[in-house]
C-alpha cells in the first residue's frame, strides 16, 4: 500500500508539472515556457523562458489583447517592443505607458529583455540575442500564446537599433519598424563607434566580442542596411538633446547622448529617403533621452505599425 501511494504521488506530480514539448527551431534551439504570472485582469503576463541561445533563462513581459482568452481559436499578430541599454524590459510599462497606449489594440505585445548591452546581435563570442528574439521567443509565442505570423516592431535607444537591424536583416519577419532615439548609424563617425563601445564596456562586456570586423559592423548597421528596408514602413523619432516641452521645468542641461543620436537619425533618415524607403521621420528638435518622448513616439508610431498588419 505504501509503495502504491508513493507511485500515485509521483504520477500526480509528473502530470501537474509537465509542460508542452519544446519544438526545435531552424537553428536547433529550443524554447519552453517554464513559468508565467498574470495580473488580475489577465493582460500582463511575465514569462521565464529557458534559452539555449543565451545559455540561461530569459524574461519576457506580455500584454495580451482583451479578447485573447475568449477567442481560443484565433491567431494574433505581435508587436515587439525592444528596450534600450542598461535598462529593464519592464520599463515599457513603468515608467513607460505601453499598457495604456496599446490597450485597445488586437495584438499581443511582447517585451523581451535585451541584456544590458546585448545590441540585438548573435555575438561573435557570447550570447545569441538575435536567435533568442527571432527564433526561441517566436516559437514560444506561437506555441503557448497563439501568436500568428504577422509582426511589427518598435524600440528605443539600443532597441531602436534592434528594430531596424532585425527588420532589414530578416526580410518579411516584421511588416513595419519604429525607432525612438535609436542608435541607427553605428559606423557614421568615430564618435558613433565609440558610443557603441562605451555602452558595451560600461556593461562589463568586451566590445571586440560583439562585431570583430568592419564587415560585422556594416552587416548590422541600419544606415548601411537602408536598401533592405525599402518597401517597409519605417518610423524614426529623435530629439536634439536640448531640454524640450516634455522635460521638467527649469531643466537647462543638454542631453549629450540624445545630441549624438540626433546626428545619427538625421543621416539615416536621409539615407532611407534616398533608398526609397517608406520613412516617416519626427526629428522634433528640443527633447531628451527620456520616457516622456518615447511614450509620445510610440503613440505616434502605432497607427503606422498597425496599418501594416492584416485587417
Amino acid at each position: 500500500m505504501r509503495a502504491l501511494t508513493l507511485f500515485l504521488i509521483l504520477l500526480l506530480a509528473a502530470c501537474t508539472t509537465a509542460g508542452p514539448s519544446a519544438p526545435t527551431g531552424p537553428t536547433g534551439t529550443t524554447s519552453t515556457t517554464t513559468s508565467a504570472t498574470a495580473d488580475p485582469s489577465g493582460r500582463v503576463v511575465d514569462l521565464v523562458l529557458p534559452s539555449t541561445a543565451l545559455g540561461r533563462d530569459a524574461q519576457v513581459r506580455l500584454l495580451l489583447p482583451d479578447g485573447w482568452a475568449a477567442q481560443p481559436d484565433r491567431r494574433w499578430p505581435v508587436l515587439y517592443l525592444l528596450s534600450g541599454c542598461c535598462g529593464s524590459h519592464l520599463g515599457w510599462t513603468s515608467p513607460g505607458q505601453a499598457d495604456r497606449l496599446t490597450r485597445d489594440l488586437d495584438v499581443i505585445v511582447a517585451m523581451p529583455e535585451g541584456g544590458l548591452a546585448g545590441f540585438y546581435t548573435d555575438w561573435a563570442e557570447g550570447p545569441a540575442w538575435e536567435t533568442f528574439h527571432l527564433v526561441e521567443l517566436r516559437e514560444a509565442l506561437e506555441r503557448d500564446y497563439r501568436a500568428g505570423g504577422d509582426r511589427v516592431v518598435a524600440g528605443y535607444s539600443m532597441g531602436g537599433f534592434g528594430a531596424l537591424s532585425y527588420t532589414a536583416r530578416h526580410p518579411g519577419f516584421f511588416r513595419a519598424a519604429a525607432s525612438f532615439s535609436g542608435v541607427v548609424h553605428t559606423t557614421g563617425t568615430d564618435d558613433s563607434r565609440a558610443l557603441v563601445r562605451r555602452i558595451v564596456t560600461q556593461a562589463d562586456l568586451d566590445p571586440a566580442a560583439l562585431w570583430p570586423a568592419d564587415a560585422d559592423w556594416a552587416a548590422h548597421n541600419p544606415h548601411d542596411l537602408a536598401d533592405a528596408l525599402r518597401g517597409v514602413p519605417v518610423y524614426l523619432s529623435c530629439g536634439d538633446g536640448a531640454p524640450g516641452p516634455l522635460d521638467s521645468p527649469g531643466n537647462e542641461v543638454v542631453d549629450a547622448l540624445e545630441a549624438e543620436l540626433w546626428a545619427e537619425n538625421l543621416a539615416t533618415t536621409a539615407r532611407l529617403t534616398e533608398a526609397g524607403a517608406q520613412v516617416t521621420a519626427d526629428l522634433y528638435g528640443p527633447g531628451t533621452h527620456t520616457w516622456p518622448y518615447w511614450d509620445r513616439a510610440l503613440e505616434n508610431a502605432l497607427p503606422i505599425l498597425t496599418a501594416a498588419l492584416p485587417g
Side-chain angles (χ1 to χ4, degrees):
M1 177 64 71
R2 181 180 301 173
L4 178 60
T5 301
L6 177 61
F7 171 78
L8 292 175
I9 291 173
L10 293 174
L11 179 62
L12 177 61
C15 291
T16 57
T17 58
S21 60
T24 299
T27 62
T29 60
T30 60
S31 178
T32 306
T33 303
T34 58
S35 66
T37 58
D39 70 333
S41 71
R43 184 156 194 256
V44 178
V45 180
D46 288 321
L47 307 179
V48 177
L49 303 179
S51 169
T52 301
L54 301 180
R56 63 170 177 80
D57 289 350
Q59 298 184 30
V60 182
R61 170 162 286 185
L62 304 181
L63 299 174
L64 299 179
D66 286 341
W68 184 85
Q71 301 179 64
D73 297 325
R74 180 175 177 179
R75 288 280 172 177
W76 300 84
V78 182
L79 165 63
Y80 279 63
L81 295 180
L82 307 181
S83 58
C85 89
C86 319
S88 169
H89 63 293
L90 303 179
W92 279 106
T93 52
S94 180
Q97 300 294 311
D99 188 358
R100 176 181 63 82
L101 294 172
T102 63
R103 188 174 302 279
D104 297 328
L105 300 182
D106 286 336
V107 299
I108 296 171
V109 181
M111 296 162 283
E113 65 166 302
L116 290 179
F119 266 98
Y120 299 94
T121 297
D122 285 355
W123 285 50
E125 299 177 27
W129 287 103
E130 195 165 344
T131 298
F132 168 65
H133 290 131
L134 304 188
V135 178
E136 295 179 336
L137 176 56
R138 173 185 59 80
E139 290 175 349
L141 293 177
E142 291 175 354
R143 183 188 64 245
D144 299 327
Y145 289 92
R146 304 196 304 277
D150 298 308
R151 311 170 200 89
V152 292
V153 61
Y156 71 88
S157 196
M158 181 182 72
F161 165 88
L164 270 58
S165 185
Y166 278 175
T167 301
R169 286 169 53 77
H170 299 271
F173 194 94
F174 292 113
R175 289 176 169 266
S179 168
F180 316 141
S181 302
V183 183
V184 293
H185 192 5
T186 58
T187 65
T189 65
D190 289 343
D191 288 342
S192 301
R193 289 177 181 258
L195 172 61
V196 174
R197 293 189 179 106
R198 185 167 71 247
I199 291 170
V200 172
T201 300
Q202 288 174 349
D204 291 328
L205 300 170
D206 180 6
L210 176 59
W211 303 314
D214 286 346
D216 299 316
W217 285 75
H220 294 83
N221 182 24
H223 184 279
D224 289 335
L225 297 171
D227 288 338
L229 292 168
R230 187 183 298 115
V232 178
V234 175
Y235 178 93
L236 296 178
S237 70
C238 193
D240 64 10
L246 303 183
D247 289 290
S248 301
N251 176 27
E252 298 180 357
V253 178
V254 173
D255 188 325
L257 174 57
E258 191 77 355
E260 286 189 62
L261 298 177
W262 169 262
E264 292 190 15
N265 278 267
L266 285 172
T268 300
T269 297
R271 180 67 188 93
L272 287 167
T273 301
E274 179 185 38
Q278 301 174 35
V279 59
T280 300
D282 182 16
L283 305 180
Y284 43 81
T288 56
H289 204 71
T290 53
W291 272 106
Y293 294 97
W294 303 331
D295 283 334
R296 184 179 70 179
L298 178 59
E299 186 170 19
N300 292 338
L302 281 173
I304 294 172
L305 295 171
T306 56
L309 297 171

